[in-house]
Amino acid sequence: MNFKKKILITGGAGFIGSHVIRKMVKKYPDYLIVNLDKLTYAGNLNNLNEIVNHVNYKFENIDINNVKAIDSVFKKYLFDSVIHLAAESHVDRSISNPDDFIITNILGTLNLLNACKDTWGNSDNNCFYHISTDEVYGSLGETGFFTESTSYDPRSPYSASKASSDHLVRAYGHTYSLPVKISNCSNNYGSHQFPEKLIPLIINNILNKKPLPVYGKGENVRDWLWVEDHANAIDLVFHKGKTGETYNIGGHNEWTNIDLVYLLCDIMDRKLSNNEGDSRKLITYVKDRAGHDLRYAIDATKIEKELGFKPSLNFQVGLEKTVDWYLDNKSWLDDVTTGNYQNYYKQHYK
Ligand code: NAD
Ligand code: TYD
C-alpha cells in the first residue's frame, strides 16, 4: 500500500503515546504509523489492543539507545516524520535513579536526531516533533504562568533531562536546519496511566483500601489536562504548527494536590457505594518529595490563538471518565501492579 505519510512514533506503548497512536491510526488510515518502544515497566502493548490489527499500524520492539537498530528501522520504513514520546517519565524514579533518565531522555533523543539528520535533507515534508513537559521551566510561586519564552530552570533529574533534550532538538533545528517542533505540556490524566503517578495511584490505593500518600502538606499545585486533549493538541501541532516553533499546552485547571485527592475520594466513594468520607480517612501525609516544585501553570494563549486549541472536557467530567475506566479495567490495574511494581512501591513508600 502507498502511504501518504510514514510516521515513527516512539514510546507508543506508554500512557500518552498509546492515546496518540490510537487517534492517529484511526483518524489517518492513509498514514503508516510505526510504534517504536522498548517496553520498559511503563510500556504495555495491551494499551493498543484496539488498533493492533489495523493495516496502517506496525510495532518495533527497539530501544532508542540502540544506534544500529534505529539505523536499520529508518532504512526499513523511510520515515518522513517522527513524533518522539519515548522517555523515562516519573520524577520520583528520577530522584532515586537519575542514570536511566540521562541515558534514555538525552542520549536516546540524540540518537533519533542523528538518524533524522542523516536520512533527511532540508525538505519541507519532514518533521521531528519532540513531546516535552512544562517542568523544564522550573517552579512558579503563587502567581504567574509559564509561557514559551519563560527561561528554563529545571529542578529535578527528570526535568533536567527533558530540558537538555529540548535544547538538543532546537540546536539540531538551528545548526543542521532539521525541521523540528516542540510542545511542552502540563500534567496529563486519563485512562492507561501507570499507577505510580498521583491520580491512578490514588484510585488503585482506594480500591485496595491502602493509605493515600500525600507529599508534604498537599499544597503543591499542578495544572491537569485530559490526555485525549493532549493527543488532540499533538495532532494539531504536528499538522498545523510552524516548523522551528514551541507550543505550550495546558488546561487552565490548577488544583492543589490535597483538593484533587479529596475530589477523587468523593467520586470513588460515590461510585463504589461507600459511606460518605470513607476514602478521605485513608489520606496519609508522608515525607515531602526532595526538591518538590511548588506550582506549575501553563499560559496556552499561543496554541489557542494560532492553532485553535481548546480543552474539550472540564475536570470533574474528565475525572469521572478516568475513574470509570479504571473501575471497568481492574484486570489492567492488576496486571501492571504485580512484580516490579510491588518492589518499587515498597521501596518508595517504605
Ligand atoms: P510513560 O512512562 O507512560 O511511557 C513512556 C514510554 O516510553 C513507555 O512505553 C516505555 O516503554 C517507552 N520507553 C522508555 N524508554 C525507552 C527507550 N529507551 N527506548 C524506547 N522506548 C522507551 O510516559 P508518558 O507519561 O506517556 O509520557 C510520554 C512523553 O510525554 C514523555 O516524553 C514525557 O516526558 C512527556 N510528558 C508527559 C506528561 C505526563 O503528564 N505524563 C506531561 C508532559 C509531557
Ligand atoms: P506526579 O503524578 O508524580 O506528577 P509530577 O511530579 O510530574 O507533577 O505528581 C503530581 C503531584 O502529586 C506532585 O506534586 C507530587 C504529588 N504526589 C503525592 O503527593 N503523592 C504521591 O504518591 C505521588 C506519586 C505524587
Side-chain angles (χ1 to χ4, degrees), residues 206-225:
I206 292 175
L207 280 173
N208 291 296
K209 300 197 178 359
K210 281 165 66 174
L212 311 180
V214 173
Y215 297 162
K217 293 182 180 158
E219 287 168 351
N220 303 66
V221 173
R222 296 293 181 265
D223 176 359
W224 294 93
L225 181 70

Side-chain angles (χ1 to χ4, degrees), residues 51-236:
I51 51 89
V52 73
N53 292 322
H54 285 232
V55 287
N56 63 331
Y57 171 75
K58 298 271 181 266
F59 173 64
E60 296 281 349
N61 185 195
I62 290 173
D63 183 339
I64 54 170
N65 288 100
N66 184 338
V67 178
K68 270 196 174 158
I70 292 292
D71 183 50
S72 47
V73 89
F74 267 74
K75 290 202 170 101
K76 179 172 169 187
Y77 292 103
L78 303 172
F79 302 115
D80 43 65
S81 312
V82 174
I83 304 179
H84 176 37
L85 293 111
E88 289 293 337
S89 69
H90 190 40
V91 173
D92 290 325
R93 289 185 192 251
S94 84
I95 293 168
S96 49
N97 179 21
D99 301 33
D100 286 347
F101 288 70
I102 306 308
I103 294 167
T104 287
N105 298 1
I106 305 178
L107 297 178
T109 301
L110 179 72
N111 289 334
L112 291 170
L113 288 167
N114 282 334
C116 294
K117 172 170 84 66
D118 296 344
T119 311
W120 300 339
N122 300 337
S123 163
D124 284 346
N125 292 329
N126 299 127
C127 171
F128 184 95
Y129 178 13
H130 180 60
I131 306 303
S132 193
T133 166
D134 61 353
E135 302 189 25
V136 298
Y137 299 121
S139 181
L140 291 164
E142 311 269 304
T143 58
F145 297 93
F146 298 134
T147 71
E148 288 79 0
S149 56
T150 301
S151 299
Y152 274 34
D153 183 22
R155 291 148 47 101
S156 73
Y158 165 66
S159 54
S161 70
K162 292 296 292 187
S164 178
S165 61
D166 289 11
H167 287 321
L168 278 170
V169 171
R170 284 196 191 94
Y172 270 59
H174 185 74
T175 309
Y176 306 111
S177 303
L178 196 74
V180 299
K181 295 177 188 177
I182 299 180
S183 56
N184 297 82
C185 188
S186 61
N187 286 59
N188 285 213
Y189 72 96
S191 70
H192 302 86
Q193 187 171 31
F194 193 79
E196 63 189 355
K197 305 268 170 43
L198 181 67
I199 290 178
L201 183 128
I202 295 295
I203 294 172
N204 189 43
N205 284 16
I206 292 175
L207 280 173
N208 291 296
K209 300 197 178 359
K210 281 165 66 174
L212 311 180
V214 173
Y215 297 162
K217 293 182 180 158
E219 287 168 351
N220 303 66
V221 173
R222 296 293 181 265
D223 176 359
W224 294 93
L225 181 70
W226 192 40
V227 63
E228 281 294 319
D229 282 327
H230 189 192
N232 288 339
I234 289 173
D235 183 12
L236 265 181

